[in-house]
Each structure stands twice: as C-alpha cells, then as structure tokens.
C-alpha cells in the first residue's frame, strides 16, 4: 500500500476578519435603523391597500396587522414573504387553478 502525501496550507490571514471600528458599528446601527424605518413605512402603505390588492400579492389583512404588531426592528419583508409563499403553496396543493 502506498500513502499519498498531501500538504494542506490554510490561509489564516484571509480567514480573519478585521475588528470593526467604532465608526463602522455606528454606521451599521444607523443603516439598521433606517432599514427598519423604511420597512415600517412600506407596511403602513400595504395597510392602505384593499383586500383584493393584498390577495393579488398573496397576503391578507391579518398578515399586515401581524407585522405591524411585531417589534419595530423585526424583518417585516421576511415575514410577509413567508406568509405569501405558504399561502401559495397551500393554494397549489389544493389543486385550485384560479
């Protein structure tokens, strides 16, 4: 039996991430707050739509109310996307073509 010799060189400097500076942390926090504020505004605009328009997007009024009741910093887009996809999946499994 032969043994094949292999050398693995791991680049450790590329794996290290630099420690974020104070300014980078502040910038990340400001961007996070701005993103949450913008998402909150979009959810308020969704609340202005009628039920037929919401249903065209795969949403219901209860989905929008659930997002509005959630925390300010929760990801509203993710919640609404998951709700819409789950509703579409159930719709297709039922064999409805409308």
């Amino acid at each position: 039996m032969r043994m094949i010799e292999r050398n693995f060189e791991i680049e450790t400097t590329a794996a290290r991430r630099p420690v974020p500076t104070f300014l980078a942390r502040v910038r990340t926090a400001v961007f996070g707050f701005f993103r949450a504020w913008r998402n909150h505004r979009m959810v308020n605009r969704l609340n202005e739509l009628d039920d037929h328009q919401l249903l065209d997007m795969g949403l219901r009024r209860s989905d929008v109310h659930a997002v509005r009741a959630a925390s300010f910093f929760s990801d509203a887009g993710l919640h609404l996307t998951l709700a819409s996809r789950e509703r579409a999946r159930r719709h297709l499994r039922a064999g409805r073509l409308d």
Side-chain angles (χ1 to χ4, degrees), residues 45-57 59-61 64:
R45 290 184 67 190
L46 282 176
N47 199 33
E48 295 171 359
L49 299 176
D50 66 359
D51 291 335
H52 294 290
Q53 291 170 326
L54 286 174
L55 195 57
D56 283 343
M57 291 185 270
L59 299 172
R60 292 201 176 152
R61 181 99 23 220
V64 176

Side-chain angles (χ1 to χ4, degrees), residues 9-19:
E9 295 180 22
I10 299 173
E11 188 72 33
T12 56
T13 57
R16 290 187 201 154
R17 290 185 175 180
V19 177

Side-chain angles (χ1 to χ4, degrees), residues 29-78:
V30 168
F31 284 149
F33 180 79
F34 179 71
R35 184 176 43 249
W37 176 71
R38 188 181 61 210
N39 287 344
H40 189 69
R41 281 187 25 218
M42 290 299 128
V43 169
N44 285 339
R45 290 184 67 190
L46 282 176
N47 199 33
E48 295 171 359
L49 299 176
D50 66 359
D51 291 335
H52 294 290
Q53 291 170 326
L54 286 174
L55 195 57
D56 283 343
M57 291 185 270
L59 299 172
R60 292 201 176 152
R61 181 99 23 220
S62 61
D63 298 330
V64 176
H65 288 303
V67 169
R68 290 185 76 200
S71 169
F72 181 76
F73 289 103
S74 65
D75 191 355
L78 177 64

Side-chain angles (χ1 to χ4, degrees), residues 1-8:
M1 282 198 312
R2 286 192 220 175
M3 290 193 88
I4 298 174
E5 209 174 295
R6 292 186 183 178
N7 292 331
F8 294 104

